[in-house]
Amino acid sequence: MSSTFVRLLTVAALLCGPCAALAQDQSPPAPAPVAKPPKPPKPPKPPRPVAATPAPDANAPAKSGSSILGGAKGQGPLEVTSENGIEWQQGAKAYIARGNAVAKRGQNTLYADVITAYYRDIPNSSQTEIWRVVSDGHVKITTPTQTVVGDHGVYDIDQAVVIMTGQALKLTTPQDVVTARDSLEWYDGKQLAVARGDGVAVRGERRLRGDTLVAQVSQAPGEDSRISRVDGKGHVIVSGINGQVGTGDTGVYNADTGIATLVGHVTVARGDDTVVGQYGVVDLQTGVSRILPRPPTAEDTTRGRVQGIIIPRQKTPDTAPAKSAPAAQKAQP
């Protein structure tokens, strides 16, 4: 079937916030108010500018710049294309675009096999607003600086939250990549990405893994968006240059400095050398680490110990086993 193209001024909320959604199509045309004779008559599908009225309130919590959903200012209408047409279900109050559906607004684009936009009535008005968008199959959201992919996506417009599930979940910025197994969430107002289930954040050779990762995305004026901080919880593992690996119950990683702070059952290892404590600071850029028996708090006056196991290196691979065994025994704590 030939490609169907629809320009929907009133479905612009799909990527940015609520707006009117073809009010005249879902109810008989209302007569023009008598008290406002200058108002032009309403044709069946007029390009009315009323969609811009509720947009500021809906987008007030969101930040501009690195928004993955699309800003509210000056991006124009939403353009929707699909190979198998666009279906309007009045009973379900939904618009459904099927077959390689693409929804584009400004420089932000949503791709999916099927895109469904749900609308609701605006109280004391003949208009409607989009409040929920569901995308299924090969879902991808792209902006000039970010890309999110998954199999199923739900966009809650009221909360400005996108939740992606499925296989190969990934958030990509020019400098960073975040992946997850169970879900990848984007909170537009706070500029936060949450990776649940074996979350991994990667920048170059530096890597942080945990059961749950919360990544803060920042964007300076005129620069690309980037991850500035990652908080990890549960089985946190950090790694950097020189094969250094640190583990802990929780961790905070400063992506700008390359320093990771680990708390709880901390270990830092490089090859066979291992240091164990309860608090550690690991510089993933320089390879320098510091392990403490406890977090450096003034209230904590208890004494603790840091344990280290240092394995001496063989100078030559031909060293006889009989001579190397006593040296290894002396190195044991």
Side-chain angles (χ1 to χ4, degrees), residues 51-324:
T53 302
D57 292 337
N59 294 288
K63 300 177 181 178
S64 61
S66 61
S67 170
I68 203 166
L69 305 175
K73 298 180 180 179
Q75 292 196 7
L78 180 76
E79 299 176 355
V80 180
T81 61
S82 64
E83 291 184 352
N84 299 329
I86 298 178
E87 178 181 340
W88 178 25
Q89 296 185 359
Q90 298 186 48
K93 293 187 175 181
Y95 297 98
I96 305 175
R98 304 179 188 275
N100 293 325
V102 179
K104 184 174 183 180
R105 185 171 192 263
Q107 295 180 300
N108 306 299
T109 307
L110 168 65
Y111 303 87
D113 294 342
V114 179
I115 298 176
T116 304
Y118 295 91
Y119 64 89
R120 63 192 173 194
D121 298 328
I122 298 178
N124 303 320
S125 172
S126 61
Q127 299 174 346
T128 59
E129 62 184 2
I130 300 295
W131 66 277
R132 179 183 175 91
V133 176
V134 178
S135 50
D136 289 288
H138 304 93
V139 180
K140 180 170 68 172
I141 302 175
T142 65
T143 76
T145 59
Q146 298 179 40
T147 300
V148 178
V149 298
D151 294 328
H152 178 78
V154 177
Y155 174 27
D156 185 322
I157 293 174
D158 293 337
Q159 302 298 323
V161 175
V162 175
I163 299 178
M164 300 281 274
T165 56
Q167 301 296 319
L169 300 169
K170 181 187 293 187
L171 166 67
T172 304
T173 74
Q175 299 186 51
D176 309 284
V177 175
V178 178
T179 60
R181 183 193 63 225
D182 300 335
S183 68
L184 187 58
E185 306 165 9
W186 174 257
Y187 295 83
D188 202 47
K190 298 180 180 179
Q191 295 289 283
L192 289 178
V194 180
R196 301 187 187 276
D198 193 22
V200 180
V202 179
R203 176 182 292 184
E205 297 182 0
R206 291 174 279 170
R207 177 184 299 259
L208 184 144
R209 180 189 298 267
D211 295 344
T212 301
L213 300 182
V214 179
Q216 177 70 60
V217 177
S218 303
Q219 183 176 21
E223 297 182 1
D224 293 333
S225 61
R226 58 182 174 78
I227 292 176
S228 57
R229 168 177 170 151
V230 182
D231 290 67
K233 183 177 182 181
H235 304 93
V236 175
I237 304 174
V238 297
S239 59
I241 64 174
N242 301 326
Q244 181 176 241
V245 177
T247 66
D249 296 337
T250 62
V252 177
Y253 171 55
N254 186 318
D256 296 329
T257 64
I259 295 177
T261 303
L262 301 171
V263 178
H265 303 92
V266 176
T267 66
V268 175
R270 181 182 299 156
D272 295 329
D273 300 340
T274 303
V275 182
V276 180
Q278 288 299 311
Y279 181 90
V281 178
V282 182
D283 192 325
L284 299 180
Q285 288 184 323
T286 63
V288 177
S289 303
R290 184 185 181 194
I291 307 299
L292 301 176
R294 59 191 176 278
T297 57
E299 293 80 7
D300 188 355
T301 58
T302 61
R303 300 182 64 86
R305 297 182 67 83
V306 174
Q307 180 182 4
I309 300 177
I310 310 301
I311 306 298
R313 302 292 192 270
Q314 300 286 348
K315 289 186 177 181
T316 63
D318 298 332
T319 302
K323 296 181 180 180
S324 62

Side-chain angles (χ1 to χ4, degrees), residues 13-80:
L14 194 154
L15 296 180
C16 68
C19 66
L22 298 181
Q24 279 76 23
D25 287 346
Q26 57 112 13
S27 62
V34 177
K36 297 180 179 180
K39 186 176 181 179
K42 297 165 64 178
K45 293 181 179 181
R48 299 172 61 194
V50 292
T53 302
D57 292 337
N59 294 288
K63 300 177 181 178
S64 61
S66 61
S67 170
I68 203 166
L69 305 175
K73 298 180 180 179
Q75 292 196 7
L78 180 76
E79 299 176 355
V80 180

